[in-house]
Amino acid sequence: MYDPTVARLTYRALLGRRRALILGALPLLLLVIAVAVRGLSGADDQTAADVLGGFALATMVPIIGVIAGTGAIGPEIDDGSVVYLLSKPVKRPTIIFTKLIVAIAVTMVFSAVPTMIAGLVLNGNGQQVAVAYTVAALVASIAYAALFLLLGTVSRHAVVFGLVYALVWEALFGSLVPGARTLSVQQWSLAVAQKVADGNLVTSDVGLPTATVLLVAVTVLATWYAGQKLRSLTLAGEE
């Protein structure tokens, strides 16, 4: 289910100079904010939770997921180079699964690692806030990578649609509209983080069992459907 050659090509595409600069911009901004907030207000658990929840998890993680998930396959479909990949004796589900693993790894590195560092800067992991939001970022990275990989497979405008989802649904509706929160990857990951954190600084509108089921279901279904779409794309190209 994992092909090293496909993985190497995908890593090279995602971590090229231009895309790496884009991926690194938001984590760098988070660290700058963390240092500035710590310098101005000192160590405060609530402030740390607000920064990590309001910026890191609600904005940075989904946007990085968009870049990594859609970038793992979208450009190859757009420029037609995917035909070369599909001509190789590699099963289509293997291609999707390999690209998913790469997208997850890139999303985790560029989101979870800076979240942990920012949390330590903000309050030294008081009440397990830094660890809790790092766990949330790790969990969310998996679901976002699968969702946006699927989006990159089915649409030529995957980045636009992904950013709309990340900025409008997750950051706006997912934070303000009660009903929308149940269908938010952010809230599902917060349910996991709530179990890790001490006190009531990290909360979610979704229970942990429900969140776990939804995270697994979305990841599996998105990966499966992306494989099906890639298979149909192959048939269309052959015809």
Side-chain angles (χ1 to χ4, degrees):
M1 291 297 292
Y2 181 85
D3 188 277
T5 301
V6 174
R8 184 174 64 254
L9 293 173
T10 307
Y11 274 119
R12 185 180 301 173
L14 285 179
L15 300 178
R17 181 177 299 178
R18 180 180 176 184
R19 198 176 295 273
L21 289 174
I22 297 174
L23 284 168
L26 284 175
L28 179 60
L29 179 58
L30 172 63
L31 296 178
V32 170
I33 291 173
V35 171
V37 170
R38 177 62 185 266
L40 292 173
S41 61
D44 181 77
D45 294 342
Q46 183 62 60
T47 300
D50 291 341
V51 172
L52 296 181
F55 181 77
L57 192 62
T59 302
M60 183 185 75
V61 180
I63 290 179
I64 290 176
V66 170
I67 298 171
T70 61
I73 195 170
E76 292 176 310
I77 294 177
D78 291 342
D79 62 20
S81 61
V82 71
V83 175
Y84 172 79
L85 178 61
L86 297 178
S87 67
K88 300 301 179 182
V90 182
K91 294 181 179 179
R92 308 312 178 243
T94 298
I95 294 174
I96 288 296
F97 183 77
T98 302
K99 288 182 173 293
L100 174 63
I101 295 299
V102 173
I104 289 173
V106 171
T107 306
M108 284 182 172
V109 169
F110 282 91
S111 61
V113 173
T115 297
M116 183 67 186
I117 296 173
L120 293 175
V121 170
L122 285 165
N123 76 331
N125 195 36
Q127 296 194 54
Q128 294 292 309
V129 169
V131 171
Y133 278 103
T134 299
V135 170
L138 290 171
V139 171
S141 294
I142 299 173
Y144 283 134
L147 280 173
F148 297 131
L149 179 65
L150 170 61
L151 198 56
T153 306
V154 302
S155 173
R156 290 183 176 272
H157 306 288
V159 174
V160 175
F161 292 140
L163 289 175
V164 169
Y165 174 85
L167 298 177
V168 177
W169 184 265
E170 289 282 13
L172 184 59
F173 287 101
S175 299
L176 301 177
V177 182
R181 296 173 186 172
T182 307
L183 301 176
S184 167
V185 174
Q186 177 188 344
Q187 291 297 321
W188 303 342
S189 60
L190 280 173
V192 180
Q194 184 177 3
K195 189 70 175 178
V196 176
D198 297 331
N200 299 315
L201 289 176
V202 183
T203 60
S204 173
D205 291 339
V206 183
L208 182 58
T210 301
T212 303
V213 171
L214 290 172
L215 284 166
V216 173
V218 165
T219 302
V220 172
L221 290 175
T223 305
W224 172 81
Y225 191 60
Q228 296 303 307
K229 293 300 293 184
L230 191 63
R231 181 173 294 157
S232 67
L233 177 67
T234 306
L235 294 175
E238 292 172 349
E239 293 174 356

